[in-house]
Amino acid sequence: MSDSDTILSALADGVLSLTLNRPDKLNAFNEEMHLALRAGFERAHADADVRAVLLTGAGRGFCAGQDLGDRDPSKGVPDLGHTIETFYNPLLRLIRSLEKPVICAVNGVAAGAGANIAFACDITLAARSARFIQAFAKIGLVPDSGGTWSLPRLIGEARAKALALTAEPLGAETAADWGLIWRAVDDNTLMEEATALATRLAAGPTKGLGMTKRAIQAAATNSLDEQLDLERDLQREAGRSADYAEGVSAFLEKRKPEFKGQ
Ligand code: LHQ
């Protein structure tokens, strides 16, 4: 793990909480924060004690995307493709390939890459006062962090194009109504609700949950036949897991299951 204070990291009850922590900059990404967040997700992949991840931001914002002070064209023409290749794309791949639930609690404004990282998580809750902004259009860039992939899939081409071309802020309630996020909740209950959800999932049959995530993501490119085959293969594997044995035993014995994520 990185020891940078740009990401606050804590493991409790199987939940690895990762808090973006540059509140004076609305948690915009500099290189140090990129590397620290990546280290957090790498730990989530490698550490069996981590059964779920909870991503949020410190202060009044969730994340304002890239720190534009770090990518100021007046200091020389930047290679933003290199920035994407080096930082954002590896992060997106780590989030999507992690076979454990990733919960995102959007505590305030989420702009640019900050919004699209929230949309890449498995279950995203947002404070009612939060807004999502495809800020790229304001500075001559194209949406990144998977935004051109996730937006049309989640809300359809018409809404995706309007958000991306206008950079109009979208409130949390509308984001939930459109299916961009799971739920908008009262600001003062966001962290309580997100932590309870992450803790519940972390105590669940996380091997099966991870395979469920993999299957739903594979559906984006699979035919129905391929998906049916994948479900067969994953169910075979799930049926051999200790968690399935425990789940069925607990049901038959009318007791609470104790899942181990194995
Ligand atoms: C910031 C930032 C910020 C630095 C707020 N940077 N300081 C990938 C590849 C490589 C390069 C480019 O980008 C990308 C991906 C991207 O993410 S592109 C999109 C980059 N992000 C933006 O364009 C958003 C810029 N920020 C804003 O439009 C506003 O700050 C929003 C709408 C997010 C919030 O507005 P307010 O609530 O009015 O807050 P504010 O603007 O007053 O910001 C508070 C402070 O945070 C302020 O600093 P100051 O010292 O004046 O208090 C801002 O300068 C700083 N800040 N975003 N991205």
Side-chain angles (χ1 to χ4, degrees):
M1 274 297 284
S2 157
D3 56 7
S4 164
D5 63 6
T6 57
I7 296 292
L8 306 178
S9 170
L11 179 62
D13 301 324
V15 177
L16 181 65
S17 297
L18 298 172
T19 304
L20 310 175
N21 188 37
R22 299 186 72 223
D24 295 349
K25 302 277 184 190
L26 300 180
N27 304 319
F29 277 96
N30 63 4
E31 295 199 4
E32 185 182 337
M33 193 170 96
H34 271 297
L35 293 174
L37 184 60
R38 182 190 306 175
F41 276 100
E42 283 171 345
R43 175 183 175 187
H45 274 259
D47 185 345
D49 290 340
V50 176
R51 308 263 303 273
V53 174
L54 174 57
L55 178 65
T56 191
R60 73 174 176 90
F62 171 68
C63 176
Q66 178 66 33
D67 187 321
L68 295 174
D70 264 23
R71 291 292 180 276
D72 178 357
S74 71
K75 296 173 187 155
V77 179
D79 179 354
L80 299 190
H82 181 262
T83 306
I84 299 286
E85 186 63 25
T86 309
F87 298 112
Y88 290 97
N89 286 357
L91 173 65
L92 263 287
R93 291 184 174 115
L94 279 169
I95 294 172
R96 298 286 294 184
S97 64
L98 180 64
E99 292 209 357
K100 302 173 185 181
V102 180
I103 313 305
C104 184
V106 180
N107 52 300
V109 67
N116 293 337
I117 289 167
F119 302 145
C121 295
D122 300 318
I123 304 183
T124 296
L125 306 176
R128 235 174 272 288
S129 68
R131 40 206 173 113
F132 297 91
I133 309 173
Q134 294 296 314
F136 313 90
K138 289 188 179 171
I139 53 172
L141 294 183
V142 297
D144 57 31
S145 303
T148 58
W149 189 90
S150 56
L151 286 172
R153 280 175 168 77
L154 291 170
I155 57 175
E157 194 172 312
R159 285 170 167 169
K161 282 182 180 162
L163 288 182
L165 299 183
T166 67
E168 277 184 23
L170 189 73
E173 303 248 20
T174 310
D177 289 346
W178 287 7
L180 255 180
I181 64 168
W182 167 235
R183 196 174 272 169
V185 302
D186 289 343
D187 289 28
N188 58 4
T189 62
L190 174 70
M191 288 319 295
E192 191 186 321
E193 292 199 33
T195 304
L197 175 62
T199 305
R200 174 156 64 86
L201 293 177
T206 42
K207 185 177 167 75
L209 300 183
M211 288 194 288
T212 302
K213 170 175 175 173
R214 194 196 323 166
I216 289 176
Q217 291 178 180
T221 49
N222 272 352
S223 66
L224 175 61
D225 276 333
E226 288 167 329
Q227 196 68 13
L228 291 174
D229 287 350
L230 177 64
E231 288 178 1
R232 175 202 58 213
D233 295 343
L234 292 177
Q235 202 70 301
R236 180 173 287 136
E237 198 180 333
R240 292 173 178 152
S241 70
D243 282 346
Y244 175 63
E246 168 63 7
V248 175
S249 302
F251 175 78
L252 295 176
E253 293 162 16
K254 298 189 188 302
R255 62 173 173 80
K256 203 168 165 283
E258 280 187 37
F259 295 116
K260 301 270 188 294
Q262 292 161 3

